Amino acid sequence: MLAAGCHAVVATMWSIMDRHGPKIAEDFYTHLIRQVHAREESEGLSGVGGAHALHHATQQIRKTLGDSESSLLVWVPYVHFGL
């Protein structure tokens, strides 16, 4: 996606189980949309906003699951690349 011209991409480093993925996606997009509405409409989406939203989503799942070694495999695969 970066090679195609996207400024930022959220992905996983390896395949993930579907159990927690939808919750992470929901938290990510909810936070991202709140950020956009909090700023001026003309700014739109930004790579920084995506990075913050991913951080927020991983923090939420960590609060739910705790910081055990087994929970690492749930949130560690998610990465943000770009500006």
Side-chain angles (χ1 to χ4, degrees):
M1 295 300 292
L2 291 172
C6 292
H7 294 285
V9 175
V10 172
T12 59
M13 295 187 290
W14 56 80
S15 61
I16 58 166
M17 301 296 288
D18 288 339
R19 183 173 179 195
H20 300 289
K23 180 63 176 151
I24 292 174
E26 178 184 352
D27 288 340
F28 172 82
Y29 284 110
T30 299
H31 192 78
L32 189 63
I33 290 168
R34 282 185 187 145
Q35 287 180 346
V36 170
H37 289 300
R39 296 188 307 253
E40 290 184 24
E41 296 271 336
S42 62
E43 289 184 34
L45 298 173
S46 72
V48 173
H52 286 211
L54 181 60
H55 176 74
H56 172 78
T58 56
Q59 291 298 310
Q60 294 306 308
I61 201 74
R62 287 178 73 186
K63 286 179 187 176
T64 301
L65 300 177
D67 281 333
S68 67
E69 286 187 31
S70 62
S71 71
L72 287 173
L73 295 176
V74 173
W75 62 269
V76 165
Y78 292 88
V79 293
H80 176 273
F81 294 105
L83 304 173

